[in-house]
Amino acid sequence: MSVFQYVSDEASLNALVAQYQQSKLLVLDTEFVRTRTYYAKLGLIQAYDGKTLALIDPVAIADLSQFWALLADPTIVKLVHSCSEDLEVFAHYGQCQPLPLFDSQIAAALCGMGHGLGYAKLVETCLDEVIDKGESRTDWMHRPLTQAQLTYAANDVLYLHQLYPQLQAKLHAEGRLAWLYEEGERMTEGRLAPPDLDTAYLKVKNAFQLNERQLAYLKVLAKWRMEKALARDLALGFVIKDHGLIALAKKQPKTIGELIKLNDLTEQEKRIHAKDILRIMQTADLVNLPELVDVLALKPGYKSAFKTVKTCLTELCEHHGVPQEMLASKRHIHEYLQWRWNEQRGSLPTVLCGWRAELAAQALEQLVL
């Protein structure tokens, strides 16, 4: 059983932070609940410096500011596993991002151990320890937490600390330690920026189906939905689902009667939001219309060009022992083609940045697309 300190008051937390400030490595994990909310509900923070394993109770502690400041300390390496959701939690609750960042899942991939390796599998492979994952679907907001829940949470950082020397040594031997930290910087980029309300419509599924006039309606509707979601801390789909917004933008109801006839909205959505929706739709700017949503994949030659780039990158992945998902994913290829076909305007695609550029830039430049 893990030995841990349960921290549920500010004085204990601040004493712990003072200790952690002396460390060069801090292991981190979070437990949270997300069902209907826009933001995850933070239930527990696990931290371990190799000496004190702490389970920090954010439900009981009102002021976590000193702990959040610790995460931004550039002299302490923050060790995590598959951390994208943790980063979202840190951004929302702490307005911070943990840098420098060492993600053990990415480290394992760069070491040739496989892409997307789960924590339990990584621990079993490297340490020959079997972790009980029985509490993974627990309600982390419920108090008091059981001994089984606390032990499960503690184990999530206990073994990660033991994995670090192995992964670090392998990356150093491969000359890829700098790649790992570069990935950490890339993962944390832009996470502290507030949601962009004016471009929310671009993320609505099937927005590409709409003409400019319909997009003008979708733009104000998506902005309104995002504002509602943020104000009430509701997942977007629990305000109105994407296909409901698309239907409204296409059919443009002018009266309650017309809106009620729409089958794409639930009865609850109509009852709660009908007046708001009609009011918001009247604010659409029908003079300065948005541009059509450009769907690259529908352009002539896309499939052929995609295959050419994928073949090139896949060969590079095999040659260098890098997982395809890190260099030749669908998103990476799509982003590259968009940049290439847009006369190389705008930000460089990911595949032409940092260590990826070292591997791929020259080969991609020679492709005829």
Side-chain angles (χ1 to χ4, degrees):
M1 182 186 297
S2 309
V3 177
F4 55 81
Q5 176 184 341
Y6 191 80
V7 179
S8 57
D9 63 84
E10 284 178 35
S12 301
L13 176 65
N14 294 340
L16 179 74
V17 167
Q19 176 193 315
Y20 284 166
Q21 284 170 337
Q22 307 308 310
S23 178
K24 294 190 182 306
L25 176 71
L26 185 64
V27 189
L28 294 168
D29 192 27
T30 63
E31 305 296 346
F32 51 84
V33 176
R34 182 180 352 228
T35 48
R36 295 173 56 90
T37 56
Y38 188 87
Y39 294 109
K41 296 292 184 186
L42 180 58
L44 199 67
I45 303 168
Q46 302 100 293
Y48 185 37
D49 65 349
K51 297 175 184 175
T52 302
L53 198 163
L55 303 181
I56 301 165
D57 187 346
V59 177
I61 304 173
D63 184 3
L64 291 160
S65 56
Q66 290 204 31
F67 180 78
W68 300 133
L70 178 74
L71 299 197
D73 187 333
T75 66
I76 305 169
V77 172
K78 321 309 182 305
L79 175 59
V80 293
H81 183 86
S82 185
C83 67
S84 61
E85 291 182 302
D86 300 306
L87 296 180
E88 188 182 320
V89 165
F90 296 146
H92 175 58
Y93 289 96
Q95 287 298 301
C96 67
Q97 289 290 273
L99 284 171
L101 188 67
F102 189 113
D103 188 318
S104 55
Q105 188 177 68
I106 293 173
L110 291 174
C111 289
M113 298 171 70
H115 180 75
L117 208 58
Y119 176 64
K121 185 65 177 175
L122 185 59
V123 169
E124 189 176 349
T125 302
C126 295
L127 304 176
D128 202 26
E129 292 276 0
V130 177
I131 297 177
D132 178 14
K133 300 299 286 182
E135 299 293 336
S136 59
R137 295 193 176 276
T138 198
D139 179 2
W140 293 103
M141 300 307 292
H142 180 74
R143 293 296 184 272
L145 293 168
T146 66
Q147 187 65 39
Q149 289 170 328
L150 296 173
T151 300
Y152 163 88
N155 284 342
D156 273 354
V157 288
L158 176 70
Y159 296 112
L160 201 45
H161 193 276
Q162 296 173 34
L163 283 169
Y164 178 70
Q166 281 191 42
L167 294 172
Q168 187 189 39
K170 285 180 180 178
L171 286 169
H172 184 71
E174 295 277 345
R176 295 182 176 181
L177 196 56
W179 294 13
L180 186 279
Y181 287 117
E182 184 189 310
E183 286 301 283
E185 289 184 20
R186 189 181 62 79
M187 289 168 70
T188 58
E189 265 177 17
R191 286 188 180 267
L192 299 183
D196 187 346
L197 301 177
D198 289 323
T199 59
Y201 74 102
L202 295 172
K203 295 182 180 178
V204 177
K205 188 177 179 183
N206 293 327
F208 73 90
Q209 295 176 353
L210 306 185
N211 61 35
E212 291 102 324
R213 186 180 175 87
Q214 292 167 339
L215 282 171
Y217 287 107
L218 183 66
K219 185 173 182 178
V220 293
L221 285 166
K223 180 177 181 178
W224 163 81
R225 180 178 69 164
M226 177 75 82
E227 288 171 337
K228 280 277 185 190
L230 292 170
R232 296 172 58 197
D233 192 17
L234 269 181
L236 292 174
F238 285 104
V239 181
I240 288 184
K241 292 183 169 51
D242 278 9
H243 69 267
L245 293 188
I246 295 292
L248 287 166
K250 283 181 175 179
K251 296 173 183 174
Q252 300 155 27
K254 301 291 188 294
T255 66
I256 294 285
E258 289 176 2
L259 189 145
I260 287 172
K261 290 178 184 175
L262 289 182
N263 295 326
D264 301 271
L265 298 182
T266 67
E267 293 308 312
Q268 183 180 6
E269 288 168 349
K270 293 171 188 175
R271 187 176 70 252
I272 297 173
H273 301 303
K275 289 181 180 176
D276 255 3
I277 288 169
L278 294 177
R279 176 180 58 81
I280 289 300
M281 291 186 73
Q282 287 175 6
T283 68
D285 185 349
L286 301 177
V287 177
N288 304 297
L289 297 174
E291 292 181 6
L292 290 173
V293 177
D294 184 19
V295 184
L296 192 71
L298 298 180
K299 288 189 174 180
Y302 177 82
K303 285 185 178 179
S304 172
F306 186 96
K307 186 177 179 182
T308 300
V309 176
K310 186 173 179 64
T311 300
C312 171
L313 293 177
T314 299
E315 287 173 0
L316 289 171
C317 289
E318 290 170 358
H319 178 72
H320 292 284
V322 174
Q324 282 192 34
E325 294 87 350
M326 296 195 74
L327 189 66
S329 71
K330 185 175 180 179
R331 181 180 61 81
H332 286 134
I333 297 169
H334 183 86
E335 186 185 52
Y336 175 74
L337 286 172
Q338 203 156 29
W339 175 80
R340 182 94 176 244
W341 285 356
N342 195 30
E343 299 176 357
Q344 303 185 5
R345 290 199 299 265
S347 302
L348 275 179
T350 305
V351 77
L352 293 184
C353 295
W355 65 266
R356 290 179 176 84
E358 292 175 32
L359 301 189
Q362 193 173 356
L364 287 173
E365 193 178 343
Q366 295 170 1
L367 297 180
V368 177
L369 299 173

